[in-house]
């Protein structure tokens, strides 16, 4: 038969159901009543925000009584929140059409309409049996794979059953070991939305039930460039502070307004709470001010506080997968990032009694001594284990540029992070690292002050990041040097040269690379030109003519300006552009890198495009490198898809033959 329902009635029931099942795990509150009209003020909750879909912001309404009255007069309003403005302590009213959960992250007052909802059943804490927070609020579990599910019981030794859509799929017995008291394993499930996952004691009828989805799960980690949020659309502001819209990426207004397309399809979990303050405020209590961790639907209220790189990469992955499969695949995004953190903070210790020792270096004295090595692994990663993930996005390395030992050991450190996380997550995940853009800053570490970071140091880290993928399946880096910018609004980086706000494009590149690594049989073009061979000839005016052949991406290639260039190329094939090539010249007095000039793009629309440039013939040409000389590149080489040429160092052979080099892994 056919079932016909009234939309308004369903919305009211849904809103009540959200409150019964969606409260933050660390707090239990009587639900805000919704649905029918009531006198104002009604059921106010000081100190809490009701998170849900925004119906209408009312910036001129600044009292709880008036906000409630506005909600009572709007038949689509399920409740309201009075929250602080982003730039002042003055509150304003936001009407909500639905609610999903409470949060105390912002100092709100909230309320609703209608008679009180039915009383809550006993909380998980009262009944003793419950899921770990990783499975609360609409978790996304990895599809097509046996996945662990764990939680807590009132006492050790009791037998539990795990049910999926009412059918028993696993049994287990509670213990007290590890970060769970019971664990069970779900058999592989196809990509599906809204399954009923329940746990109960054997022989009892009471169940604890959560809605889960089976799809792709992406963990996003690193430091402050991963922590930069999507934002809510206000202008970039600095310095860091309590302003919700500060330290946010470009395009926040449009992005948060367009979340309707992804509601109920993409889900997010912020494992590190509000964005951490800069390293100068490392000891601030806000650094570890975690909010209650719970999965939430992405909507125009929740997205703005989430990682921009993670979101834009996830959205790109979702759209590409949808285009191939024809139906949406659930996607879960988890953020765990802390600004200013070196990679050593994120790797597990080899010897718990000596955290400064790892398989790659002896970090003693600590180059970055703000925290113990491995501390963020314990605080942010261990609490996720052994959750199964499909992929990891890693946006880090800025901090380790400042440490000579870490810079030299970075390939080993990155490989150890990948292998140790795979072991602990019990996952053979794909790994994508965001390659460093150009930046400079004071070179200060735990051992002293040493001037400033140079372009050569950043370039070296780019090669080290890619070397950290050598020999590892489904591992890649994504170049971003065309997004380099100098500090300040006029320079393109309002939060300092190390923070690039063009996260929509960076995330899209990462998502394309993820798609290629995750989706079997993908034929997508996701990487740009790579060097193949170099030839050097002499001309009559005592110059070397260097010819660099590329492949990768699609033709025609082109020269193009970087985002924040001040002396930009115009893309013309006939113009003599200066790109960031330099050549190692050696003679009797020594060796030095010499910048190339008069770059020309030849055979751009063929299968063997070449870039030629000139350097003075002051000695023997030994090697060529790309993106090393300029902190803020002005012009670069793109494929037809707009993909960047990869950084490289290439030793010039006596005969021009295709090399074996890092850029080809």
């Amino acid at each position: 038969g056919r079932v016909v329902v009234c939309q308004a009635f369903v919305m009211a029931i849904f809103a009540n159901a959200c409150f019964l099942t969606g409260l933050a795990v660390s707090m239990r509150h009587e639900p805000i009543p919704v649905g029918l009209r009531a006198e104002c003020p009604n059921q106010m909750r000081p100190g809490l925000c009701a998170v849900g879909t925004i119906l209408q912001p009312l910036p001129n309404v600044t009292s709880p009584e008036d906000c409630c009255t506005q909600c009572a007069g709007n038949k689509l309003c399920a409740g309201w929140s009075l929250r602080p403005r982003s730039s002042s302590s003055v509150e304003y009213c936001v009407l909500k059409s639905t609610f999903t959960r409470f949060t105390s992250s912002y100092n709100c007052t909230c309320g609703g309409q209608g008679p009180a909802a039915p009383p809550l059943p006993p909380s998980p804490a009262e009944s003793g049996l419950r899921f770990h927070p990783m499975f609360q609020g609409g978790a996304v579990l990895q599809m097509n794979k046996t996945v662990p599910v764990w939680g807590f019981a009132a006492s050790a030794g009791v037998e539990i059953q795990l049910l999926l859509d009412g059918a028993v799929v696993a049994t287990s017995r509670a213990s007290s070991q590890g970060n769970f008291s019971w664990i069970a394993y779900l058999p592989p499930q196809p990509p599906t939305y809204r399954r009923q996952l329940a746990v109960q004691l054997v022989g009892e009828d009471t169940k604890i039930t959560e809605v889960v989805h089976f799809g792709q799960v992406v963990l996003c980690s690193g430091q402050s460039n991963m922590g930069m949020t999507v934002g809510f659309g206000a202008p970039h502001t600095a310095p860091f502070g309590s302003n919700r819209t500060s330290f946010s990426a470009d395009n926040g207004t449009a992005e948060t307004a367009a979340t309707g397309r992804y509601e109920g399809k993409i889900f997010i979990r912020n494992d590190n709470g509000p964005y951490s303050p800069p390293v100068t405020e490392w000891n601030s209590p806000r650094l570890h001010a975690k909010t209650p961790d719970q999965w939430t639907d992405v909507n125009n209220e929740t997205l703005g506080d989430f990682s921009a790189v993670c979101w834009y990469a996830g959205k790109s992955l979702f759209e590409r997968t949808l285009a191939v499969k024809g139906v949406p695949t659930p996607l879960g995004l988890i953020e765990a990032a802390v600004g200013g953190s070196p990679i050593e903070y994120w790797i597990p210790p080899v010897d718990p009694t000596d955290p400064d020792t790892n398989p790659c270096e002896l970090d003693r004295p600590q180059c970055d001594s703000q925290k113990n090595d491995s501390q963020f692994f314990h605080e942010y990663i261990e609490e996720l284990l052994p959750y199964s993930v499909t992929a990891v996005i890693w946006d880090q390395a800025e901090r380790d540029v400042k440490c000579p030992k870490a810079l030299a050991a970075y390939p080993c450190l990155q490989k150890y992070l990948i292998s140790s996380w795979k072991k602990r997550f019990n996952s053979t995940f794909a790994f994508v690292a965001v390659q460093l853009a150009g930046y400079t800053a004071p070179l200060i570490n735990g051992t002293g002050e040493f001037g400033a970071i140079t372009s050569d140091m950043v370039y070296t880290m780019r090669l080290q990041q890619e070397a950290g993928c050598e020999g590892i399946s489904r591992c890649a880096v994504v170049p971003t040097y065309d997004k380099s910018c100098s500090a300040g609004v006029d320079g393109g980086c309002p939060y300092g040269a190390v923070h690039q706000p063009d996260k929509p494009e960076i995330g899209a590149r990462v998502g394309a690379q993820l798609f290629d690594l995750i989706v079997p049989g993908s034929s997508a073009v996701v990487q740009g030109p790579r060097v193949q061979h170099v030839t050097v000839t002499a001309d009559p005016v005592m110059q070397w003519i260097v010819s660099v052949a590329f492949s990768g991406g699609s033709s025609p290639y082109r020269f193009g300006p970087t985002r924040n260039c001040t002396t930009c190329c115009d893309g013309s094939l006939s113009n003599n552009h200066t790109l960031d090539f330099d050549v190692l010249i050696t003679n009797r007095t020594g060796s030095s890198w010499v910048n190339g000039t008069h770059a020309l793009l030849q055979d751009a629309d063929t299968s063997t495009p070449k870039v030629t440039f000139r350097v003075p013939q002051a000695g023997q040409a030994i090697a060529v490198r790309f993106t090393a000389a300029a902190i803020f590149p002005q012009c670069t080489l793109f494929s037809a898809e707009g993909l960047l040429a990869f950084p490289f160092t290439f030793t010039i052979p006596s005969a021009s033959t295709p090399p074996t080099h890092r850029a080809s892994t």
Side-chain angles (χ1 to χ4, degrees):
R2 299 178 61 187
V3 178
V4 180
V5 297
C6 173
Q7 183 179 12
F9 177 74
V10 171
M11 287 180 64
I13 296 299
F14 172 73
N16 276 286
C18 284
F19 278 106
L20 292 176
T21 60
L23 301 185
V25 67
S26 65
M27 60 182 75
R28 181 171 181 260
H29 302 280
E30 182 184 348
I32 293 176
V34 296
L36 303 177
R37 304 299 94 188
E39 296 297 324
C40 292
N42 180 47
Q43 301 285 332
M44 286 194 294
R45 300 289 187 272
L48 293 177
C49 291
V51 178
T53 304
I54 293 177
L55 175 64
Q56 183 182 7
L58 299 172
N60 296 323
V61 177
T62 58
S63 73
E65 294 78 10
D66 291 344
C67 191
C68 179
T69 300
Q70 291 291 329
C71 184
N74 189 325
K75 64 181 181 180
L76 297 180
C77 182
W80 52 272
S81 277
L82 197 71
R83 70 184 189 191
R85 294 181 189 273
S86 58
S87 58
S88 72
S89 60
V90 179
E91 296 182 322
Y92 72 101
C93 176
V94 178
L95 305 186
K96 304 293 183 66
S97 59
T98 64
F99 290 137
T100 57
R101 63 183 175 93
F102 290 109
T103 179
S104 58
S105 299
Y106 310 103
N107 189 24
C108 299
T109 300
C110 65
Q113 294 295 321
L120 286 170
S123 71
E126 292 166 349
S127 66
L129 185 65
R130 64 193 188 277
F131 287 104
H132 186 277
M134 283 300 300
F135 304 94
Q136 298 177 2
V140 180
L141 308 181
Q142 189 175 354
M143 63 186 187
N144 301 327
K145 185 181 188 297
T146 299
V147 294
V149 177
W150 64 96
F152 307 92
S155 60
V158 297
E159 191 174 4
I160 65 99
Q161 292 177 324
L162 201 63
L163 299 89
L164 188 62
D165 296 332
V168 176
V169 291
T171 59
S172 182
R173 192 173 295 276
S175 69
S176 58
Q177 298 177 357
N179 66 341
F180 47 79
S181 60
W182 58 262
I183 186 168
Y185 294 87
L186 277 174
Q189 300 295 319
T192 46
Y193 284 98
R194 289 171 284 281
R195 306 286 297 274
Q196 297 289 321
L197 181 66
V199 61
Q200 68 179 20
L201 296 177
V202 172
E204 296 188 9
D205 294 331
T206 302
K207 299 182 181 69
I208 304 299
T209 303
E210 293 286 346
V211 175
V212 297
H213 320 275
F214 291 90
Q216 296 168 331
V217 183
V218 180
L219 170 61
C220 304
S221 190
Q223 52 185 103
S224 53
N225 270 303
M226 182 61 80
M228 181 181 284
T229 64
V230 174
F232 291 91
H236 295 304
T237 56
F240 299 85
S242 59
N243 185 345
R244 289 182 78 191
T245 59
S246 65
F247 201 66
S248 58
D250 294 341
N251 206 45
T253 299
E255 198 63 27
T256 54
T259 54
R261 173 177 171 81
Y262 305 102
E263 287 191 41
K265 300 181 180 70
I266 301 178
F267 306 86
I268 56 178
R269 187 180 192 275
N270 192 328
D271 188 53
N272 55 287
Y275 169 71
S276 306
V279 72
T280 55
E281 301 177 22
W282 191 276
N283 294 320
S284 164
R286 286 188 65 244
L287 178 61
H288 302 295
K290 290 189 178 184
T291 56
D293 297 328
Q294 189 175 16
W295 288 93
T296 185
D297 194 355
V298 63
N299 57 49
N300 59 2
E301 178 74 2
T302 60
L303 179 60
D305 286 322
F306 193 70
S307 162
V309 168
C310 193
W311 166 251
Y312 288 111
K315 185 177 77 167
S316 172
L317 173 63
F318 178 86
E319 293 288 1
R320 287 173 176 267
T321 305
L322 175 62
V324 170
K325 297 185 178 297
V327 294
T329 297
L331 176 62
L333 303 174
I334 304 171
E335 176 192 354
V338 180
S341 55
I343 193 172
E344 288 89 344
Y345 289 6
W346 294 96
I347 56 178
V350 175
D351 180 357
T353 65
D354 185 10
D356 297 340
T357 301
N358 62 63
C360 308
E361 60 175 351
L362 176 62
D363 191 21
R364 188 182 301 124
Q366 273 186 283
C367 184
D368 200 318
S369 55
Q370 302 164 96
K371 299 289 180 182
N372 290 329
D373 288 354
S374 299
Q375 183 155 339
F376 291 160
F377 173 81
H378 294 311
E379 292 186 8
Y380 295 93
I381 302 304
E382 274 189 341
E383 70 176 35
L384 305 177
L385 302 176
Y387 206 81
S388 186
V389 297
T390 312
V392 170
I393 303 173
W394 180 245
D395 195 345
Q396 200 269 333
E398 299 96 317
R399 190 68 181 172
D400 287 280
V401 169
K402 297 184 176 184
C403 298
K405 286 190 298 184
L407 180 57
Y410 200 86
C412 176
L413 289 165
Q414 182 174 294
K415 289 180 180 181
Y416 176 57
L417 180 137
I418 295 169
S419 63
S420 62
W421 284 19
K422 283 183 176 180
K423 179 179 179 180
R424 285 159 176 80
F425 280 102
N426 191 29
S427 302
T428 57
F429 53 71
F431 182 90
V432 176
V434 180
Q435 199 175 55
L436 283 187
Y439 82 101
T440 187
L443 205 172
I444 303 172
N445 60 39
T447 63
E449 300 184 18
F450 306 95
I453 292 173
T454 66
S455 60
D456 188 75
M457 295 166 66
V458 174
Y459 165 76
T460 299
M461 179 58 85
R462 289 179 191 145
L463 298 188
Q464 298 290 68
Q465 287 177 286
E466 192 156 21
C469 275
E470 288 181 351
I472 299 176
S473 63
R474 300 199 304 156
C475 184
V477 299
V478 173
T480 64
Y481 60 84
D482 63 322
K483 304 302 179 185
S484 305
C485 48
S486 57
V489 175
D490 292 340
C493 279
Y495 312 112
V498 71
H499 299 124
Q500 306 80 36
D502 189 10
K503 303 306 185 189
E505 173 61 24
I506 293 172
R509 294 176 188 176
V510 173
Q513 182 65 77
L514 272 181
F515 174 80
D516 185 62
L517 296 177
I518 291 173
V519 178
S522 169
S523 59
V525 178
V526 299
Q527 293 194 347
R530 292 184 180 274
V531 63
Q532 291 302 298
H533 60 84
V534 176
T535 58
V536 178
T537 57
D539 75 352
V541 292
M542 297 300 293
Q543 287 190 322
W544 291 118
I545 301 175
V546 182
S547 178
V548 182
F550 288 90
S551 67
S554 302
S555 299
Y557 287 6
R558 62 180 175 86
F559 289 159
T562 58
R563 169 177 160 129
N564 299 288
C565 59
T566 55
T567 306
C568 308
C569 57
D570 63 7
S572 168
L573 300 186
S574 61
N575 278 1
N576 290 332
H577 301 308
T578 300
L579 275 74
D580 194 5
F581 289 95
D582 56 353
V583 177
L584 181 62
I585 300 293
T586 183
N587 52 37
R588 293 178 181 177
T589 61
S591 301
S592 60
W593 289 97
V594 180
N595 290 342
T597 61
H598 297 86
L600 291 170
L601 181 57
Q602 298 178 336
D603 302 323
D605 56 353
T606 71
S607 60
T608 56
K610 296 185 288 291
V611 175
T612 62
F613 61 92
R614 297 169 180 259
V615 292
Q617 199 179 120
Q620 184 179 1
I622 300 297
V624 178
R625 61 184 185 176
F626 180 56
T627 78
I631 294 178
F632 307 118
Q634 303 294 301
C635 181
T636 192
L637 178 66
F638 294 91
S639 70
E641 295 84 6
L643 298 169
L644 290 175
F646 276 75
F648 66 85
T649 294
F650 185 91
T651 300
I652 299 172
S654 55
S656 298
T657 56
T660 299
H661 56 89
R662 290 173 181 168
S664 64
T665 58

